[in-house]
Amino acid sequence: NRKNPIKNIMTSRGCPFSCPYCYNSVFKSMFGGRTVRYRSIDSVVEEALKLVGDYPETKYIFFVDDEFLSRESRVYEFSEKWRQKVGIPFHAQLRVDFVTDEKVLALKAAGCTSVTFAIESGNEQTRRGLLQRSVANEMILKAADSFRKAGILFRTENMLALPGETVDESLETLDLNIKCKPKIGWSSLFQPYPKTPLGDKAVELGLFDGDLSDIPSTFFEKSVLDISKSEKRKFENLQRLFGLICTFPFLRIFVRFLISLPRNRFYNYIYSWHKRRMYSSLFDWTRADS
């Protein structure tokens, strides 16, 4: 969109990880070998300068890389060259595995105003076992603290209604997010996408019949797992209210009651309204000078 002040750039393609719910794991098993290709920082800077020249209304860059911090030397090279030659504020996506205070300060110096990182599950056993993400709660909280101290806003990503997950475990995810204090507590409903290890596991456990027509077009609509109607309703209601409760933690004491209510349009409205409101703050390029 020419008029959109936010433009996308990619500095690398692919991801160094093989999470069982992501198609990157499928690509790795099919093709093997290297799954990440890195561009030179000079070519990234060159593209950014051309983008600004062609579209002067560009005010903000969203780096769509799956992981922005995996190579430490690139982070520092990028910080120096981006600050000196481009100077446009930006958003980056990353994993807390690679977060250090030094890298956070380098991002801040380059003009980073916000980042995204995934928590996925607040239950450490689920995260390490089912999701194969060897990240401790302490590491997540430390990364969140580093970004807050640097004045960098952050969005967290989470999944609800995982295979075998209980409602209590999903509330652990909410509680860990509340402790992190994100600008946006983003949550989705797990979908058993075909050929992914976790999708296949859902079929093996009898939680999904493999009918792909049941899977919705986005992972924000409904759970298709074969669980009780009561559980499904609670997961879906929690997904709608998740971000609002992260922003207003005093609502936490009412959560069990709120998610037990019938699905309703009001929750859908709250979800959409809050999401628009928070995203306008997350991608606010005027914060770069603050």
Side-chain angles (χ1 to χ4, degrees):
N1 185 343
R2 184 181 182 91
K3 295 182 179 180
N4 191 339
I6 302 175
K7 299 293 192 299
N8 295 340
I9 292 180
M10 180 178 288
T11 76
S12 65
R13 184 182 296 275
C15 178
F17 297 93
S18 299
C19 299
Y21 46 86
C22 174
Y23 273 114
N24 189 56
S25 61
V26 179
F27 299 148
K28 279 192 174 182
S29 64
M30 290 174 61
F31 303 112
R34 188 177 65 173
T35 58
V36 185
R37 291 179 293 169
Y38 296 94
R39 298 174 56 190
S40 71
I41 299 301
D42 287 335
S43 74
V44 174
V45 169
E46 182 181 355
E47 179 184 352
L49 293 175
K50 186 178 188 308
L51 187 66
V52 174
D54 293 342
Y55 304 99
E57 68 281 0
T58 302
K59 302 294 184 183
Y60 199 83
I61 299 297
F62 189 114
F63 285 108
V64 295
D65 305 49
D66 290 314
E67 214 308 304
F68 199 77
L69 298 181
S70 58
R71 291 193 172 181
E72 187 169 15
S73 61
R74 281 176 59 86
V75 176
Y76 300 128
E77 180 186 0
F78 167 84
S79 178
E80 181 179 357
K81 292 181 177 178
W82 188 267
R83 182 177 67 252
Q84 293 178 352
K85 300 181 179 181
V86 184
I88 296 177
F90 63 91
H91 179 99
Q93 302 182 122
L94 46 89
R95 280 180 56 126
V96 297
D97 314 43
F98 296 115
V99 173
T100 64
D101 289 341
E102 293 76 17
K103 290 180 182 178
V104 170
L105 291 177
L107 288 177
K108 178 67 175 181
C112 180
T113 63
S114 61
V115 299
T116 292
F117 62 82
I119 293 176
E120 306 299 17
S121 172
N123 182 282
E124 202 164 295
Q125 183 176 354
T126 297
R127 193 185 319 120
R128 290 179 179 274
L130 186 69
L131 303 181
Q132 298 176 22
R133 295 175 66 95
S134 298
V135 180
N137 287 353
E138 291 76 11
M139 183 180 293
I140 294 171
L141 291 168
K142 185 178 184 299
D145 186 58
S146 294
F147 288 121
R148 282 200 308 275
K149 287 180 178 177
I152 296 176
L153 303 179
F154 57 91
R155 172 182 65 173
T156 58
E157 294 181 334
N158 307 270
M159 282 190 292
L160 307 176
L162 291 161
E165 183 178 47
T166 65
V167 173
D168 284 345
E169 288 170 345
S170 71
L171 292 178
E172 289 182 47
T173 302
L174 176 63
D175 289 336
L176 182 56
N177 275 264
I178 289 174
K179 290 180 181 178
C180 286
K181 302 177 182 178
K183 188 64 178 179
I184 298 178
W186 181 103
S187 67
S188 64
L189 293 159
F190 167 77
Q191 303 299 326
Y193 293 124
K195 303 301 181 181
T196 61
L198 207 51
D200 291 343
K201 186 177 183 66
V203 174
E204 292 170 7
L205 293 173
L207 294 171
F208 181 59
D209 61 10
D211 186 352
L212 304 185
S213 65
D214 289 338
I215 298 178
S217 58
T218 76
F219 34 55
F220 304 114
E221 297 178 27
K222 64 178 182 178
S223 170
V224 298
L225 297 186
D226 185 12
I227 56 179
S228 71
K229 291 183 179 180
S230 174
E231 282 184 306
K232 188 171 294 191
R233 181 180 70 251
K234 290 175 181 178
F235 283 129
E236 292 171 357
N237 280 340
L238 180 58
Q239 190 276 328
R240 302 301 193 272
L241 299 175
F242 196 97
L244 184 74
I245 297 166
C246 287
T247 301
F248 302 106
F250 70 88
L251 294 172
R252 175 62 178 86
I253 60 173
F254 305 109
V255 167
R256 289 189 184 274
F257 168 72
L258 292 173
I259 65 176
S260 67
L261 297 177
R263 283 286 306 273
N264 58 84
R265 292 183 179 180
F266 182 59
Y267 282 6
N268 292 340
Y269 171 79
I270 288 176
Y271 169 72
S272 298
W273 169 80
H274 183 262
K275 187 175 181 179
R276 288 194 303 269
R277 182 171 176 267
M278 292 298 101
Y279 270 101
S280 65
S281 299
L282 189 70
F283 303 134
D284 181 7
W285 50 85
T286 64
R287 295 189 62 257
D289 296 326
S290 62

